[in-house]
Amino acid sequence: MARIIGIDLGTTNSGVAVMEKNGPVIVPNSLGDRLTPSVVGFSKSGEVLVGKKAKRGAVMNIGRTVFSIKRHMGTSHRVNIEGKVYTPQEISAMILQKLKQDSEDYFGEEITQAVITVPAYFTDAQRAATRDAGEIAGLTVRRIIDEPTAAAVAYGLDKQKDQKILVYDFGGGTFDVSILEYISGVFRVISIHGDTHLGGDDIDNLIVDHLVEQFKKEQNVDLTEDPIAMQRIKEAAEEAKIDLSEVNDTTILVEAVTMSDKGPLTLEASLTRAQLESMIADFVERTMKSTQEAMDDANLKPEDVDTILLVGGSTRIPLVQRRVKDLMGKNPHRDISPDEVVALGAAVQTLILSPLEGELEDTLAARYGKEAPVIIHMTPFNLGVGLQHDQMGVIIERNSTYPVEAKDIFTTTRDFQEAISFPIYEGQEPVASENTFLDLLRIEAITPAPRGVPRIEITFKLNSDRILEVKAEDLATGVQKSITIASTDTRLGEEDKARMRREAQMRAMQELRKRISDYTEAQTDELIARAEKLAKGMAEGAKSKELRQSVLNLKRKREEGELSAAQGEIEVLANLMAELEKGSPA
């Protein structure tokens, strides 16, 4: 059966995991790392760089490196790289393509299917954009699941007792909190809250602002006018934040950060954990407010929660851990890597789609039998239509479990009206236009009649990926109109997706050719080095002259053009070396 991978497509880092017989395991990338930076760079030569290579080259690649694209998923944001415009879906697809390729290299087989996680507080448009990104990358996205739920599933692998779990997920770009109830193999989400624009990136930016302001006071130089300096400071700020999770103070040093009339200037500053905690206190309190609201929605008190699970790199900050403990009255669990737990949970979910074949190991069978746990999700937003006087007609209420289908009946507001448009919204506000507009459903050829007589049934159907389908039906004539919700400003059309898939495939082929070329280049260097070493130890004769000439021919061909043009000389030298190394006379 085809292998399915679980992907945590993160704001700052992404990870891949697969389900093995003894449980989920992280798949290392091509560098052997367990996480891949969610960074995409475009070199001057046109090469697309993804991961650590892109992150390391960002200082010298200003204006051609993209960070934190996840924050723009489902929006009209565009990335302009020297005149070529990319959507957030395209940039995310480049990250997913890298994860796909690394998985294929690791397993030695093609990977075409994936489960991808998203923040629980992601809107319909953001989820649809994530699915589009997967398709562009050449993946069939079998399921979109919430990150906190995935984390709870991974945690539940080793826990058999019934319990209530609070998942506090503070990542690089988003924050959300979910409360789940686990009973006899079933996870039921009972409350969700969060903020899709609050994360570790914001903490980094606070440190950057502090350093820039301090440098301006000391040197009277505004570093914000120097893009290269700002990128270097951003990297130093991130390192300082990480350091201060382990130590009480750190020194930030960025040598020759910028030039002045006096020559190069160096930024040097000290930062203490206390200073950092003072800077980020408001951010942390925002997460506490969301957590309390999630508790209130679930009608729970802290003592009702059995387990607290921390997810995301920002939960390594001591202040965050203390405040969670203060609010909930108990220590959060820290026995699972907060950076890896989401990918591990996504891998567990692949069991539903592709059960392990053959005899399962006793450990897995004891935990789940032969199936993955059941997850009952819920939506954090009301879903409905805009009505007369800008009222919100709620059809699926917030905190409803899904998959779910709900209906309501509406009528006309004018005599003999032959068409009705239903704007579709997602949000909590009673005024429709203050919510997030998703799409417009228009039904025509309805029964001409005095206002209030026609009966138009609106059906909302939310599937297991939390993708919304809406149908309108005139109950008198049976005329129907339906759409799958996709924000017209952000969702890609089929032609656009097809074009982007072709471009992604071309990049994959270019990468493959480059990898083959790099491998051949390395092998050729090794062959020449061996030949030259052998030639030095040989007596003068026909074979030694032939060997030296063959090396010269190969070097000349390499200097004239691409290595592919020297394949003939490579084969000649390789065959000659094989003959000589077997001990043939010189």
Side-chain angles (χ1 to χ4, degrees):
M1 192 171 291
R3 190 185 298 272
I4 306 176
I5 56 176
I7 297 177
D8 172 16
L9 182 60
T11 306
T12 53
N13 291 292
S14 296
V16 181
V18 295
M19 198 66 186
E20 300 288 7
K21 289 187 176 181
N22 286 320
V25 295
I26 295 292
V27 179
N29 63 22
S30 58
L31 299 176
D33 297 331
R34 296 170 70 86
L35 296 173
T36 298
S38 301
V39 183
V40 176
F42 299 82
S43 70
K44 292 181 179 179
S45 64
E47 182 184 1
V48 176
L49 311 173
V50 180
K52 186 177 287 186
K53 192 173 182 180
K55 187 174 182 180
R56 284 176 173 173
V59 170
M60 302 309 297
N61 215 15
I62 295 296
R64 295 190 301 275
T65 303
V66 185
F67 294 85
S68 303
I69 194 63
K70 182 175 177 177
R71 283 192 157 188
H72 302 292
M73 292 294 278
T75 73
S76 57
H77 177 83
R78 295 294 182 266
V79 175
N80 191 320
I81 306 294
E82 297 182 346
K84 183 168 174 57
V85 177
Y86 298 90
T87 64
Q89 293 96 315
E90 286 179 278
I91 300 297
S92 296
M94 294 172 189
I95 299 168
L96 290 170
Q97 195 171 31
K98 165 69 171 169
L99 302 176
K100 176 180 184 291
Q101 181 63 60
D102 286 347
S103 299
E104 290 175 338
D105 291 346
Y106 184 79
F107 291 110
E109 62 185 66
E110 186 179 15
I111 303 291
T112 61
Q113 302 179 78
V115 169
I116 302 179
T117 64
V118 295
Y121 229 56
F122 252 24
T123 64
D124 179 84
Q126 291 169 308
R127 290 166 187 271
T130 302
R131 180 176 288 278
D132 286 345
E135 292 176 4
I136 294 167
L139 290 166
T140 298
V141 183
R142 297 291 302 276
R143 187 146 299 169
I144 299 287
I145 65 171
D146 293 345
E147 291 167 3
T149 307
V153 168
Y155 174 80
L157 276 172
D158 296 310
K159 310 299 173 185
Q160 299 181 31
K161 67 176 183 178
D162 294 348
Q163 58 186 300
K164 288 184 174 64
I165 304 170
L166 185 144
V167 184
Y168 177 98
D169 186 351
F170 197 2
T174 61
F175 169 77
D176 53 48
V177 56
S178 296
I179 300 175
L180 303 93
E181 186 175 51
Y182 174 76
I183 301 176
S184 302
V186 176
F187 284 96
R188 185 171 71 91
V189 181
I190 57 178
S191 178
I192 299 173
H193 212 281
D195 188 335
T196 56
H197 287 85
L198 175 62
D201 285 353
D202 301 288
I203 295 173
D204 294 345
N205 291 336
L206 285 178
I207 300 174
V208 169
D209 292 344
H210 169 75
L211 295 173
V212 168
E213 182 180 354
Q214 183 173 318
F215 190 85
K216 188 173 183 179
K217 289 180 180 178
E218 295 173 355
Q219 303 289 348
N220 197 30
V221 174
D222 185 0
L223 292 173
T224 61
E225 298 176 359
D226 186 340
I228 293 178
M230 290 300 291
Q231 180 59 40
R232 294 180 65 197
I233 295 170
K234 173 84 171 176
E235 293 175 1
E238 183 182 6
E239 291 177 5
K241 176 188 69 177
I242 294 170
D243 286 346
L244 290 173
S245 292
E246 302 294 333
V247 298
N248 289 320
D249 59 81
T250 188
T251 298
I252 302 169
L253 179 65
V254 185
E255 295 183 346
V257 66
T258 193
M259 294 296 295
S260 72
D261 296 339
K262 302 176 183 179
L265 298 176
T266 293
L267 182 152
E268 184 173 2
S270 61
L271 187 65
T272 67
R273 181 183 291 179
Q275 286 176 301
L276 177 62
E277 291 182 348
S278 176
M279 288 181 199
I280 69 173
D282 288 345
F283 285 166
V284 176
E285 290 313 305
R286 279 168 59 183
T287 72
M288 293 300 109
K289 182 180 178 182
S290 285
T291 303
Q292 184 60 59
E293 290 187 22
M295 293 284 291
D296 294 342
D297 288 343
N299 197 27
L300 294 176
K301 297 178 180 178
E303 56 267 27
D304 298 326
V305 175
D306 301 291
T307 302
I308 302 167
L309 180 60
L310 300 182
V311 178
S314 298
T315 62
R316 287 192 167 91
I317 297 174
L319 174 62
V320 170
Q321 296 171 6
R322 291 201 309 272
R323 290 296 294 120
V324 172
K325 180 183 177 182
D326 291 344
L327 181 66
M328 300 305 298
K330 57 176 66 69
N331 283 315
H333 282 257
R334 300 172 59 189
D335 52 345
I336 303 178
S337 168
D339 300 308
E340 299 176 0
V341 66
V342 170
L344 294 171
V348 175
Q349 275 296 285
T350 66
L351 273 181
I352 296 174
L353 307 169
S354 180
L356 290 173
E357 296 178 338
E359 181 130 0
L360 295 177
E361 295 290 329
D362 291 341
T363 51
L364 187 60
R367 291 168 187 163
Y368 287 135
K370 294 193 176 184
E371 296 179 355
V374 175
I375 299 176
I376 301 175
H377 298 278
M378 72 187 327
T379 174
F381 306 103
N382 288 332
L383 291 161
V385 295
L387 303 176
Q388 192 177 27
H389 307 306
D390 203 15
Q391 297 178 52
M392 176 74 163
V394 176
I395 295 179
I396 295 179
E397 293 187 355
R398 176 174 180 259
N399 289 342
S400 295
T401 59
Y402 63 90
V404 64
E405 183 174 315
K407 302 178 180 181
D408 203 348
I409 295 176
F410 301 93
T411 189
T412 54
T413 58
R414 302 192 309 274
D415 290 337
F416 305 106
Q417 194 172 333
E418 296 184 1
I420 304 180
S421 295
F422 291 96
I424 301 164
Y425 292 98
E426 181 177 50
Q428 301 309 113
E429 300 301 326
V431 177
S433 59
E434 293 181 3
N435 294 304
T436 300
F437 173 76
L438 297 179
D439 213 327
L440 183 71
L441 175 62
R442 181 175 175 81
I443 182 170
E444 300 177 335
I446 62 177
T447 306
R451 65 180 181 178
V453 173
R455 290 165 57 81
I456 309 300
E457 183 179 73
I458 300 294
T459 302
F460 276 30
K461 185 177 181 180
L462 202 62
N463 69 15
S464 58
D465 291 329
R466 221 180 89 189
I467 303 299
L468 181 64
E469 298 176 11
V470 179
K471 181 180 74 173
E473 180 179 359
D474 181 350
L475 295 180
T477 64
V479 171
Q480 296 183 2
K481 181 66 180 293
S482 61
I483 56 173
T484 298
I485 293 304
S487 175
T488 54
D489 290 335
T490 61
R491 188 73 191 272
L492 300 175
E494 291 303 318
E495 289 186 7
D496 286 332
K497 285 197 287 186
R499 172 184 58 79
M500 292 173 187
R501 278 196 296 269
R502 289 193 298 270
E503 292 177 355
Q505 289 167 358
M506 289 176 60
R507 286 193 299 271
M509 289 302 298
Q510 290 169 354
E511 173 65 18
L512 179 60
R513 285 194 290 268
K514 184 177 184 301
R515 291 166 69 189
I516 292 173
S517 176
D518 289 347
Y519 177 78
T520 306
E521 185 83 39
Q523 294 295 100
T524 302
D525 287 341
E526 182 183 352
L527 181 64
I528 290 174
R530 281 171 44 213
E532 290 178 334
K533 182 178 180 181
L534 183 60
K536 287 180 181 179
M538 291 176 65
E540 289 295 329
K543 285 294 183 181
S544 64
K545 289 180 180 179
E546 183 182 356
L547 179 60
R548 291 187 179 94
Q549 187 60 49
S550 181
V551 171
L552 288 174
N553 291 342
L554 178 53
K555 286 183 173 181
R556 189 179 299 114
K557 274 290 184 182
R558 290 178 64 176
E559 292 172 358
E560 290 175 355
E562 294 185 4
L563 192 60
S564 57
Q567 288 301 315
E569 281 71 20
I570 292 173
E571 292 179 12
V572 169
L573 180 56
N575 291 336
L576 182 57
M577 284 291 294
E579 178 185 345
L580 292 173
E581 288 178 337
K582 286 180 181 178
S584 299

